[in-house]
Amino acid sequence: MTTHDRAESSAFILQLKARIGIALAPVLPTLCALAGTLLLFVLFLLVQGKPATEACLLIFQGAFGSMFAWQNTLQRAAPLLLTALCVALPARVGLIVIGGEGALAMGGLFAAVLPSFLPMLSPWIMLPAMAIVAMIAGGLWIALCGALRQWRGVNETISSLLLSYIAVALFKHLVEGPLRDPASLNKPSTVPLPDAYLINPLPGLDVHWGLVWGALACVAAWIFLRHSVIGFAMAIAGGNGRTARLVGLPVNRLVVIACAMGGAAAGLAGMFEVTAVHGSANSALLAGYGFSGILVAFAARQNPLAIIVCAVVIGGVEASGSLLQRRLDLPDATTLVLQGLLFCNLLAWEAITGRLGALKTRWQQQAQPLPTTVAETIHG
């Protein structure tokens, strides 16, 4: 091999490595966070004298080891797909919104009581109406966070969290008070939905249609953010609000729209939980899906397509808690410890991703198309 050939081969390998580095850069922090979480979780189990290897295998078995486990995992993942969008969509405009639990509660409550005010409607009309009302309720609740941020300077993370607490308190007050079904004794709830307004599971599966609609919502959100004018404008507003204003973009409007879309997704999750799982609005609706959606969104790095995968993984972790409790006598909340460790690791790696920026820039420079000859590379 001549010197010329060796130089070209070396340049090609360098370019290939650079392209691989660019492709892996977006998922590298998440992969590192997963590795760190696994290590810390193993240490957590060893300190308690529990078999760490068996526990990890049981988590996998409880999440994906059988058809029943898969159905349980997908059932839990369905609302996470939509509550994660409540975090990912506002993140496009630079906001960190963590109030998905409140939007889910409001959406589920409004969907549950709508048939009481509009009785005797066909299910083909009522179910879309319930979805629309739930999305409006959740969208307005989170849009308020964006409005407070843009017009009053209120931090959206704090306001969304506080509004979530208000929504939960309002939910409990109405369910246990004015909207309570007199027939519900030990478990206060709204009037049960008629059977005609309940959503059947997917054919051959014990998983409701919210999973399909959640996945479709994630795909639609990705297309909207990546291939629409408004999505591109949101990216500019989220990257630098001052620059966005200088080029004439309506930043305030874009922020409110992004928050409303995220809240609408979480509200739709509440509607599916009411119509496909619980049959009414009750305290079981407040299962923490809104807060788990935060973890899903951060693990997916706010990418709507990656949310689909991350929601299934987190749903599987939540589904394995009972198996750990039965086999190893561990508390059911052990999976919450695992999720907490993952969230801390994600935040830690998110904090150092700035250092990866310089490395990614160098990879991009190295990944430029090769010149015609090595001489052009040397003298160009």
Side-chain angles (χ1 to χ4, degrees):
M1 180 180 292
T2 64
T3 303
H4 179 275
D5 292 336
R6 284 196 298 270
E8 281 194 343
S9 177
S10 177
F12 176 77
I13 294 174
L14 183 64
Q15 182 184 2
L16 181 61
K17 289 181 178 180
R19 292 186 181 276
I20 295 174
I22 293 173
L24 293 178
V27 299
L28 186 59
T30 300
L31 295 177
C32 293
L34 288 173
T37 299
L38 182 60
L39 176 61
L40 292 175
F41 186 65
V42 167
L43 293 176
F44 169 76
L45 293 173
L46 292 177
V47 168
Q48 299 184 84
K50 302 296 183 179
T53 303
E54 184 180 355
C56 294
L57 291 176
L58 285 175
I59 290 176
F60 180 83
Q61 181 181 349
F64 312 110
S66 65
M67 190 61 187
F68 174 81
W70 266 105
Q71 291 182 122
N72 195 12
T73 294
L74 295 177
Q75 185 84 349
R76 293 172 180 267
L80 296 181
L81 294 170
L82 294 167
T83 56
L85 287 178
C86 189
V87 181
L89 291 172
R92 186 69 168 182
V93 292
L95 272 62
I96 301 177
V97 172
I98 58 174
E101 187 77 0
L104 183 147
M106 288 292 97
L109 179 63
F110 276 74
V113 301
L114 182 63
S116 299
F117 295 95
L118 297 174
M120 304 303 293
L121 286 181
S122 167
W124 295 100
I125 300 176
M126 178 57 73
L127 287 175
M130 293 169 68
I132 293 172
V133 168
M135 293 172 67
I136 292 175
L140 291 177
W141 201 259
I142 302 300
L144 181 58
C145 302
L148 289 173
R149 162 65 185 271
Q150 295 306 113
W151 282 285
R152 288 295 180 265
V154 181
N155 182 277
E156 75 282 354
T157 306
I158 297 175
S159 66
S160 61
L161 181 61
L162 295 179
L163 282 172
S164 181
Y165 290 146
I166 294 173
V168 170
L170 183 61
F171 177 92
K172 291 182 177 180
H173 168 72
L174 294 175
V175 169
E176 298 175 6
L179 299 178
R180 179 174 179 173
D181 177 20
S184 61
L185 301 176
N186 296 329
K187 187 177 182 181
S189 67
T190 58
V191 177
L193 295 175
D195 292 342
Y197 297 157
L198 298 179
I199 296 179
N200 295 323
L202 292 168
L205 296 175
D206 190 18
V207 182
H208 61 76
W209 282 92
L211 178 71
V212 176
W213 285 101
L216 290 176
C218 289
V219 174
W222 182 83
I223 295 174
F224 172 78
L225 294 177
R226 298 282 182 171
H227 301 286
S228 72
V229 175
I230 298 179
F232 180 68
M234 287 180 177
I236 296 175
N240 192 316
R242 184 177 179 182
T243 301
R245 288 186 174 89
L246 288 175
V247 298
L249 292 177
V251 176
N252 293 344
R253 189 189 310 166
L254 291 172
V255 168
V256 173
I257 290 175
C259 290
M261 291 174 61
L268 184 62
M271 176 265 182
F272 277 112
E273 286 297 296
V274 166
T275 57
V277 180
H278 304 292
S280 65
N282 54 64
S283 59
L285 183 65
L286 307 175
Y289 288 125
F291 297 115
S292 298
I294 303 170
L295 177 59
V296 173
F298 272 80
R301 296 184 61 79
Q302 323 301 345
N303 186 320
L305 289 184
I307 282 175
I308 299 175
V309 178
C310 294
V312 173
V313 173
I314 301 301
V317 171
E318 293 183 350
S320 63
S322 60
L323 188 60
L324 289 176
Q325 187 178 30
R326 294 195 305 269
R327 297 286 185 86
L328 299 181
D329 198 26
L330 284 168
D332 188 50
T334 301
T335 55
L336 295 179
V337 175
L338 179 58
Q339 292 180 54
L341 292 173
L342 176 58
F343 191 66
C344 291
N345 274 274
L346 287 170
L347 292 178
W349 281 98
E350 190 74 22
I352 63 174
T353 50
R355 298 181 180 180
L356 297 176
L359 183 60
K360 183 178 179 179
T361 301
R362 188 174 68 183
W363 284 338
Q364 288 175 337
Q365 292 174 349
Q366 295 173 350
Q368 296 299 320
L370 289 174
T372 306
T373 63
V374 177
E376 292 180 7
T377 305
I378 299 175
H379 301 293

